């Protein structure tokens, strides 16, 4: 577990990912106004619209350049490898991990009702990740793959309080594809967004 400021933490499930995290850059060039007032409560469909617009403009899944007004202070992020408490810790971690040429190309964003206590709805964003990660002095190329991101909207204020990412390929495939892309048993790269989004 890595403890950060403002009671924010990172917990790594995968020991390989935990080791790699120690090689990430220690600083970030993010310039975000964390004191910005939270956005007003809106309907789930309006929350979907503003999240999708922000993601298409800022691609914060790889840049970390989030819109803090759309996130709850109690925000929690999880994927198969890491658990992060706090939106500032999440944004900083993303910014440190990916290089500036990485892309989070949105394929689609949908809204689903839920019976989870305190959650108004879940926005699921399907997107294609491509680019490089910053590992020490290296810039390892990532094989493009698809990510399914579930954003849980809190009922009381429409803010994102929980995010969980699911990958189209296993974590071991992502890692091996970066260091030994010639291995014959690896999954093929995700197609360009135009093909992925086709009916």
């Amino acid at each position: 577990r890595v403890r950060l400021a403002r009671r924010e933490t990172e917990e790594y499930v995968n020991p390989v990912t935990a080791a790699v995290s120690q090689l990430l850059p220690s600083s970030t060039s993010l310039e975000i106004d964390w004191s910005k007032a939270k956005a007003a409560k809106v309907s789930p469909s309006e929350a979907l619209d503003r999240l999708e617009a922000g993601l298409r403009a800022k691609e914060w899944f790889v840049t970390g350049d989030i819109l803090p007004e759309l996130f709850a202070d109690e925000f929690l992020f999880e994927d198969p490898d890491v658990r992060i408490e706090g939106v500032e810790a999440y944004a900083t971690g993303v910014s440190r991990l990916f290089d500036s040429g990485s892309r989070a190309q949105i394929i689609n964003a949908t809204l689903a009702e839920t019976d989870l206590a305190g959650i108004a709805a879940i926005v699921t964003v399907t997107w294609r990740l491509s680019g490089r990660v910053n590992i020490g002095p290296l810039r390892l190329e990532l094989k493009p793959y698809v990510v399914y991101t579930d954003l849980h909207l809190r009922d009381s204020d429409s803010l994102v309080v929980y995010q969980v990412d699911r990958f189209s390929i296993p974590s071991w495939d992502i890692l091996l594809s970066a260091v030994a892309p010639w291995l014959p048993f690896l999954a093929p790269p995700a197609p360009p967004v135009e093909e992925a989004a086709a009916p």
Side-chain angles (χ1 to χ4, degrees), residues 166-187:
R166 298 168 281 117
F167 307 149
S168 61
I169 56 177
S171 296
W172 60 261
D173 190 314
I174 297 170
L175 177 61
L176 283 179
S177 296
V179 298
W182 58 83
L183 293 174
F185 54 82
L186 297 173

Side-chain angles (χ1 to χ4, degrees), residues 46-184:
E46 291 172 313
L48 165 65
D49 290 342
R50 69 187 183 186
L51 283 165
E52 183 174 5
L55 280 164
R56 290 188 182 277
K58 291 179 168 287
E59 298 189 20
W60 67 67
F61 290 153
V62 295
T63 65
D65 189 18
I66 70 162
L67 297 172
E69 64 269 27
L70 304 185
F71 290 80
D73 291 336
E74 299 81 6
F75 174 79
L76 172 66
F77 168 84
E78 290 185 296
D79 72 12
D81 299 313
V82 65
R83 180 179 189 272
I84 301 176
E85 297 178 10
V87 66
E88 187 170 349
Y90 165 73
T92 301
V94 168
S95 177
R96 292 168 59 215
L97 178 60
F98 297 102
D99 83 351
S100 59
S102 298
R103 296 294 311 278
Q105 294 173 282
I106 307 303
I107 298 172
N108 61 53
T110 60
L111 186 68
E113 296 181 352
T114 179
D115 56 3
L116 293 174
I119 302 299
I122 298 174
V123 171
T124 297
V125 183
T126 303
W127 55 285
R128 181 182 187 265
L129 190 157
S130 61
R132 297 182 178 185
V133 290
N134 301 312
I135 307 299
L138 304 177
R139 297 292 184 270
L140 292 180
E141 188 80 26
L142 289 173
K143 173 177 64 181
Y145 60 95
V146 174
V147 183
Y148 307 96
T149 295
D150 294 330
L151 302 170
H152 293 230
L153 306 178
R154 191 161 59 186
D155 184 54
S156 60
D157 52 19
S158 309
L159 300 179
V160 178
V161 70
Y162 178 54
Q163 173 178 330
V164 58
D165 284 2
R166 298 168 281 117
F167 307 149
S168 61
I169 56 177
S171 296
W172 60 261
D173 190 314
I174 297 170
L175 177 61
L176 283 179
S177 296
V179 298
W182 58 83
L183 293 174

